[in-house]
Each structure stands twice: as C-alpha cells, then as structure tokens.
Amino acid sequence: MALLRLLLLHLAVSAAADALTPDGQALLAFKAAVLQDPTGALANWDATAADPCAWNGVACSSPDPGSGSAQPRRVVALSLPKKLLVAALPRSPLPSSLRHLNLRSNRLFGPVPPELVAGAPALQSLVLYGNALDGQLPEDLGDLAYLQILDLSSNAINGSLPTSILKCRRLRALALARNNLTGSLPAGFGAQLTALERLDLSFNGFSGTIPEDIGNLSRLQGTVDLSHNHFSGPIPATLGRLPEKVYIDLTYNNLSGPIPQNGALENRGPTAFVGNPGLCGPPLKNPCAPSSNPSLSNDGGDSSAPEAAGGGKGKNKGLGKIAIVAIVLSDVVVILIIALVFFYCYWRVVSSKDRSKGHGAAAGSKGSRCGKDCGCFSRDESETPSEHAEQYDLVALDPHVRFDLDELLKASAFVLGKSGIGIVYKVVLEDGLTMAVRRLGEGGLQRFKEFQTEVEAIGKVRHPNIVTLRAYYWSFDEKLLIYDYIPNDSLSAAIHGKPGVTTFTPLPWEARVKIMKGVAKGMSFLHEFSPKKYVHGDLRPNNVLLGTNMEPLISDFGLGRLANIAGASPFVQSDRVGLEKEQSQQSDASVSPLMSKGSCYQAPEALKTLKPSQKWDVYSYGVVLLEMITGRSPSILLETMQMDLVQWVQFCIEDKKPSADVLDPFLAQDSEQEDEMITVLKVALACVQANPERRPSMRHVAETLERLNGSS
C-alpha cells in the first residue's frame, strides 16, 4: 500500500508539472541552477502551480480581453535584485516573452551564455550589475533588436565589445563599468547607437582612439564616463557636439595633444582630463609646445641643389646678406629700447627718493607712485598673497567626511540641473554614499581667503531643515561645493508635479503643514540663530528640497555671495524657464507682458534696493505659503490679465470669493481642516504686506504655525 501511495504521489506531481506553462518550466530551469538562496527568494516557485505569475519576482502580461479562448498569461519580467542568489546562469533559454531581466547585486558567476539572450528575443532591459560574471560577451547580444538597457557593470567580463552590439539601435543605456573589457570600440559606435542616453565604460581596459563619430550621440545625459581605460591619441573635437549639460570624464587614459575648446568641451575644468600626461592646453597648466615653423629649414635646405636655370649665383642659397643684416639691426634696436625703458624707470625711482629727502613726505609719496606706475621695481600692495592663493585639496567642513578629492573625482556623476550659478551633479561614491556637488565655475577672481571665510561660516550652519554643506574645493579652474544629497526632489515638484510627468499625487494637508513648519523653523534659525544671521534672498519652492520622510530642507542660502567671490555669474532670484516660450504664445495685444516666475517671490522693495533683507525672505515665504494652499503657479493668467499669486488672492478676497475658490481643489475636499487652512492663509497675507515693517518676523511666523494640529 505504501508503494502504491508513493506511485500515485509521483504521478500527481508529474501531472502538475506537465500542467505548468512553458514559461513556468523555463523559470524552474533557472531555479534548478541556483545553488544557494539564503533569503528564500524562490521559496514559492512551486512546480505544482499551474501559473508562475504569482511567483516572487515574476510579472506577467495582462490577459487579452479580445481573445475568445482563455490564453495563459505570459511572463514578461523577472526581477530578483539583492537576493544573494548563488548561481551560474543556465544555458537553457528563458521565457521567450521575457522583456525585462533584473538580477543585479547577487552572486552570479560564470559567463553570460548565448542561450540566455537567444531564447528571449523581445528582451528590452538586461540588468546584471554587481555580480561575478566572467567570460566574453556573446555575439547574440546583437539579436536583441528591442534592447534598450544593458547594465553589466561591476563584474569580471573580459574580451572585447562585440561588434554586433551596433545592431541594438534602440539601446538607451550602455553601462559596462568596472569589468575587464579590452580592445577598441567598434567602428560606427557613435553613428549606429544614436539613441544612447547613458554611456559608462569606465574602469576597463579599452584602448585605441575615441571614435570620431561619438559626437553623434546627441541624446546623451549625465556623465559620459570613459575614464580609467587605455584610450590613446587626441581627443576628437566632435565630442564638443554632445549636449552642453553632459559632463565628459576622460580621466586616467593615455590621451595626448591639445584639448579641443568647443561646445561641451569648452570651459571644462581640469578634473575632467587629469591622468593623461600627454594632454596639453587649457584648462590644464601644461602648455602645448608651439608648432614648428619649417620655413627657415626649407629655405636653407636646398644648399646642395643645383642652381635653377637663369638664377643668379648664390641668390637662393640660404638667407641673403641683406636679410641677415636687417635681422641683426632689428634685434639691436629692440635691445636698446628695452635698455632705455629700464634706465628711465631706474632714474625716476632714484630721483623721487632724492626729492623725498629734501621735500618731505608729500614728495616722497609722489615718488612712490611713480615707481608703481613704472611697474619695474614696485609691486602693487593690493595684490596680497591671499587673493592669489590656490587650494588644491578637498576641505572637509564636517568631521564625518571620509572621502577625499580623488574618490570624489572617480565617482559616478549625473546632472541634476543647471542654472546661472553652475551645474549641480548627483555624485555616487564607490561606497554608495551619495552627495550633491555644485560646480560654481572656472576662472574668475582669485579671492580665496574671502571665499574660505564665507564658505566655512556657511558650513557651521546646522539645522534639521537646512541642507548641510559638508566640504568644498577651490582652485583657479574649479570651485566645488559638496552638500548632502536630498532624494525627493523639490517642493515645487511636490506642489505642481514634475515637468513631462502626467501622473501626479497632490500632497495631503498633514504633509503640507509639516513642510510649512519646517521651512519656517529653518528660516527663523537663519535669521536669528545662525553665525551671521543670514538673509537667504532667494527663497522659493525650487530651493526647498524634500528628504526621505518629506521633511523640508532649505538649500542655496549664501550661494549668491559665494558665486560672486568665485567669479561665477549668479542669476539668482529669477526662474525664467519657459518664459520666452510663453511670451511667444501670447498673441492678444491686450495681455500684459508676462513676468518671470522668480520675480513673483521678490518683495516689492526689491525693485528699489539691491541689498536683500530678512523682510524680503518673509515676503518670499508668504508667497510659498500661498502656493502651497492654493496649488496655483506663482504667476496667473486671468482672462486677459496677467497677475502674480499675491494679487490674485487679494483679488479673490476683495471680490468675496468663497474659500473653496481660493484653496487647492484637493484640499477643499477636507472640510475638517478648513479652519487651519484659513489660519495659514491669514499668516501668508501678513507675510506679503507691501510695507516691510508690517510683516512679521520668521520667528513669529514659526511660533504661529506651531499651534496648528498638523504633523510637525
């Protein structure tokens, strides 16, 4: 009887396995290759299940409503990142319907088998980052016509990049960093892969020249990282055709020759080119050797040649006597002129000293000025060493900063944004630490001591609602500010949504109260308790960042001052994104000229004086409050009249509009919190009073908002 039961159980399991879809059977072949599954990621991958769509990490397509018969759903994605799976990738094919495969940060080893990709021709993303894969890349990669993302970084893959990769015309991200790849990039790399948006080939052994056609990759974003390879030859000028926001990292290669100064390569600091001893020219301090002039050698190179027919004897043999005499005489004249100027300056200085002995201090000072005017012996006393100091080390403003400049330069960088004060990058260090780096610009006045004093004072500001400045770097070519990276974008995106993103979830009232309170506390601290009692001068939603728990952090205070010292061109207090486009769309002559969004946050008195005050910040904060409770843009087009948000709210009050017309429609649904919303509206209106003296202090505003019942 026991034997009969075992036989029946075996038959039941076999029947269940036969009932499993082909996609499920392909996945079970993958599971069979897994040697260790310490997190139990595949625990519910059951052979007795008829449908694998409920298995962990598996996603399936939606059923086709137009299909008459009950067709099984197909597996379209397998995502098992960071599960510590130990396995060699199986040679059996994956489900043919698979579009996305993500096995990053596991413990996979061995080569990438051709069968893995050949069996999934519809694959769109292949992410195997952070494993221990080795061997060469299969030529079959080129058969993935729909492939858009290929991330095989941080493995031990060797060999060359297969030429077949050029057939992946839809490829948007190619990340092969930190492998052992060698050889040249395939011919036609830039001409064929024109859809690329991300390119990271760093820390490999690629050699040969950088392809001339790489400038065709006009869709690239963030950092184009070719660093830590063996690329040689000159930097192709076509790299300058890449988008302006792209940061090109060419560090630590064998490149040589002058650095092209065009487009995306223009005005780059030396940090993008270090580690290439053969490179020369700006922005490096290694000047290029002057091009040799062959004319003299050519002129005298025919001394042994027979005389031309009809030519005079010796006429073409080297330089003529008259030319030599003229050169010698011109040299003598130049030397005499220099000597006369030198003697004249010396005579003026000596004579001024003699006069100062007989005519007192006044004459002496006059003689001193003469010495400076001549410029031969005296140095302008205003040129103090501090103004010409160079600082080539990363200066930590926080004892917890454990990275140095070299680690910062090696890190992966992605452009977060660009303004008149420079580019902001998201920088991910090797240990995973993420920082935000603002690049203030290149060149400019060398006022290091002044910059140092200012930046170290800013670095001492510590408050839960203020972004912390952790370190800085100063040199003639680069000025960098290193901040904490804040992950949840800006308050502006939280209020109005991100540009180009259609889905948007409005903030609930409790979250808005938390942000209002946090910003008020941070501004109150800046005004009254910070080392210098700072004025922000440019408070607006774009400069309020949101942390992991949606806590607000004020950014960019003191930035305008630092930009001025560093020689950048600050464009603070104006956000003209899309303004020209909006203006071009206004065809009605009766519409008033559009104002910039940034100007809507400026206090009225800003038009009369250039010196910001704390009352400016109070006004700006009031506009931010109005934006948060109305959900409206800071500038509003009402029928044929353009007005800012303050004017619009005042217009609604004068017209006795109901509160539901003023409040954000999403908030107006919450009638229980209406009293609090009206309280905030009153605080905002007090902050935007036209008379600065009638505006409350930020400390008073913070204390008033603290009485609200919303989350703090």
Side-chain angles (χ1 to χ4, degrees), residues 232-285:
S232 58
I235 298 175
T238 52
L239 269 179
R241 297 207 302 260
L242 296 181
E244 185 181 353
K245 283 188 177 182
V246 168
Y247 183 81
I248 305 170
D249 191 346
L250 302 174
T251 55
Y252 299 99
N253 279 285
N254 296 321
L255 299 169
S256 58
I259 298 172
Q261 295 295 307
N262 65 310
L265 290 169
E266 192 175 9
N267 298 323
R268 293 294 180 192
T271 52
F273 308 102
V274 296
N276 293 279
L279 287 179
C280 62
L284 301 178
K285 297 185 180 299

Side-chain angles (χ1 to χ4, degrees), residues 139 142-145 163-170 192-193:
E139 280 287 336
D143 296 334
L144 300 177
T163 307
S164 64
I165 195 73
L166 301 184
K167 294 192 291 183
C168 301
R169 302 294 180 85
R170 290 182 171 88
Q192 303 297 326
L193 301 180

Side-chain angles (χ1 to χ4, degrees), residues 502-549:
T502 55
T503 57
F504 169 59
T505 303
L507 288 172
W509 176 246
E510 292 75 14
R512 300 193 200 203
V513 170
K514 178 180 181 178
I515 294 169
M516 293 172 190
K517 289 182 178 181
V519 176
K521 290 176 183 177
M523 292 303 300
S524 175
F525 180 85
L526 280 179
H527 284 184
E528 301 195 30
F529 304 106
S530 61
K532 288 191 173 184
K533 296 187 176 179
Y534 282 98
V535 173
H536 190 290
D538 193 32
L539 181 65
R540 47 190 169 130
N542 277 335
N543 290 334
V544 176
L545 307 179
L546 300 177
T548 306
N549 298 316

